[in-house]
Amino acid sequence: MIGNATFRYSNTALLSVSSVEAPTIVSSTDFDRRLALTLRRLKFPPKLLERVAGITHRRWWAPGTSFDDAAIEAGAKALAESGIEASEVGLLINTSVTRRNLEPSVAVKIHHGLSLPTSAMNFDLANACLGFVNGMTLAANMIDSGQIKYAMIVNGEDAQATQEATLARLQRPETTREDFNREFATLTLGSGAAAAVLGPVDQHPGAHRIVGGVMRAGTEHHELCVGGIDGMATDTRGLLDGGLQLVMDAWKEAQPEWNWGSMDRYVTHQVSNAYTQAIIDAIDLDPDKVPITFPHWGNVGPASLPMTLAAEAQTLETGNRVLCMGVGSGLNTAMMEIVW
């Protein structure tokens, strides 16, 4: 297959997927209020975040709660729901974009917090918003090969510090329209956590089988979205156009082999109204099969797709085909099929 990296699994299943919502609701109206002078001076219309991105609010963690504490909570939930003991886990992959230092890894605190055995490998895997799907792919490879039996993928994100710094910058009197547009995407972020447990199908015949999928890179776009602790600079139009083309190319080349045109659910990375609608239109998806969570969670980075999948799990039926579709800054895309 030209251009796509294809992967298939014979003995890997999703045993559980769980999420943790951050408790503090921060509305877009609140952001508008804090940026009122700048918006008025730059002649931007009111309710810009709601009208352009479709995001009414996002969430922040309560004081004293860190993103990795939330990832530990999500991991504990996923373990409990899977019925697997912590002592059985052979691999922990943390996929968080958020981090407070370069080393050690975020994974080590989560490994310790979940009381995983010393035999459990643990490390961070960073690939922007695509990290969680990448983590599942790597874990499935290791389960299928027989190297490990059970794996856990975790993610915790905290948007507050980045958004506070961005709001402070945008309130400066020297802020231009170009500055505002470049940092607009930062205001769409949200906080949350998610975790999943994977294991062998032959020992869990009622679990949700991971069939496989495709990946595709468009790294010529690596400068379109560059983020750090203090903020994120984004070429919103370029990111939408480049990401959409990447998804369309991967989708078109995958169809002869995968037949994803009639899935029961399409769980996408949650970005904004414009992005979601563009994907739906470009590959002709049934919008009723595309669950939407960004209006009240914002873009929770790598956690947004598994959080959405966890929310949908209660409505899925045995045998439903689910396609997880993600795009990460850089750009990279992945599509992974799960049979429920």
Side-chain angles (χ1 to χ4, degrees):
M1 185 172 293
I2 300 172
N4 285 3
T6 301
F7 50 96
R8 287 187 175 275
Y9 303 114
S10 60
N11 193 37
T12 300
L14 176 67
L15 306 187
S16 66
V17 58
S18 302
S19 68
V20 175
E21 289 188 5
T24 304
I25 297 175
V26 182
S27 70
S28 292
T29 301
D30 179 60
F31 280 9
D32 288 341
R33 188 162 44 245
R34 296 172 68 171
L35 295 170
L37 291 178
T38 300
L39 292 169
R40 192 177 308 119
R41 178 173 60 81
L42 298 179
K43 295 181 171 55
F44 280 116
K47 296 189 174 182
L48 192 64
L49 276 162
E50 290 188 38
R51 293 173 59 182
V52 175
I55 294 172
T56 60
H57 53 275
R58 77 284 297 137
R59 290 168 176 264
W60 288 351
W61 298 112
T65 300
S66 67
F67 72 97
D68 40 14
D69 290 332
I72 291 170
E73 182 181 350
K77 285 181 64 177
L79 271 178
E81 292 172 10
S82 70
I84 302 303
E85 297 295 330
S87 60
E88 300 179 89
V89 175
L91 171 68
L92 170 77
I93 303 177
N94 164 65
T95 64
S96 308
V97 170
T98 302
R99 61 191 314 112
R100 56 174 76 84
N101 40 253
L102 293 177
E103 61 175 308
S105 69
V106 176
V108 294
K109 178 179 176 179
I110 299 172
H111 181 283
H112 177 71
L114 291 170
S115 299
L116 299 185
T118 58
S119 57
M121 291 177 282
N122 62 96
F123 51 82
D124 292 349
L125 187 161
N127 195 17
C129 294
L130 200 59
F132 202 96
V133 177
N134 291 152
M136 291 178 66
T137 301
L138 178 58
N141 286 336
M142 296 176 70
I143 292 169
D144 255 33
S145 72
Q147 184 175 357
I148 60 170
K149 190 173 182 181
Y150 297 107
M152 175 181 290
I153 318 302
V154 295
N155 183 274
E157 302 298 341
D158 188 350
Q160 181 173 356
T162 303
Q163 290 180 326
E164 293 278 19
T166 300
L167 288 166
R169 258 192 317 277
L170 294 179
Q171 288 173 314
R172 296 172 181 170
E174 63 269 25
T175 295
T176 66
R177 288 181 69 94
E178 290 73 21
D179 294 333
F180 194 97
N181 288 332
R182 185 171 57 251
E183 301 212 50
F184 179 80
T186 309
L187 303 179
T188 69
L189 300 177
S191 304
V197 175
L198 279 60
V201 172
D202 57 12
Q203 296 191 36
H204 300 272
H208 320 304
R209 189 167 69 87
I210 299 177
V211 180
V214 300
M215 291 186 180
R216 189 182 179 100
T219 53
E220 67 273 21
H221 302 300
H222 67 276
E223 295 182 341
L224 293 180
C225 182
V226 180
I229 294 174
D230 291 332
M232 184 171 68
T234 305
D235 177 348
T236 306
R237 182 75 251 175
L239 198 64
L240 175 61
D241 291 344
L244 185 61
Q245 188 62 54
L246 187 65
V247 169
M248 289 174 60
D249 288 346
W251 176 270
K252 181 179 178 180
E253 291 177 2
Q255 288 320 292
E257 181 175 351
W258 290 95
N259 187 29
W260 285 330
S262 57
M263 305 296 284
D264 295 291
R265 211 69 51 92
Y266 299 91
V267 179
T268 65
H269 169 55
Q270 303 287 307
V271 180
S272 67
N273 184 58
Y275 175 84
T276 303
Q277 194 57 52
I279 294 293
I280 289 172
D281 293 342
I283 55 180
D284 195 27
L285 301 181
D286 180 349
D288 292 335
K289 296 181 178 180
V290 183
I292 303 298
T293 58
F294 63 79
H296 53 275
W297 285 343
N299 175 357
V300 200
S304 70
L305 191 153
M307 287 179 70
T308 303
L309 181 60
E312 286 296 296
Q314 47 197 304
T315 66
L316 292 169
E317 300 177 353
T318 301
N320 281 170
R321 295 175 69 205
V322 179
L323 187 65
C324 296
M325 304 172 62
V327 176
S329 299
L331 290 166
N332 288 287
T333 189
M335 302 174 189
M336 172 182 282
E337 180 177 345
I338 304 173
V339 176
W340 216 252

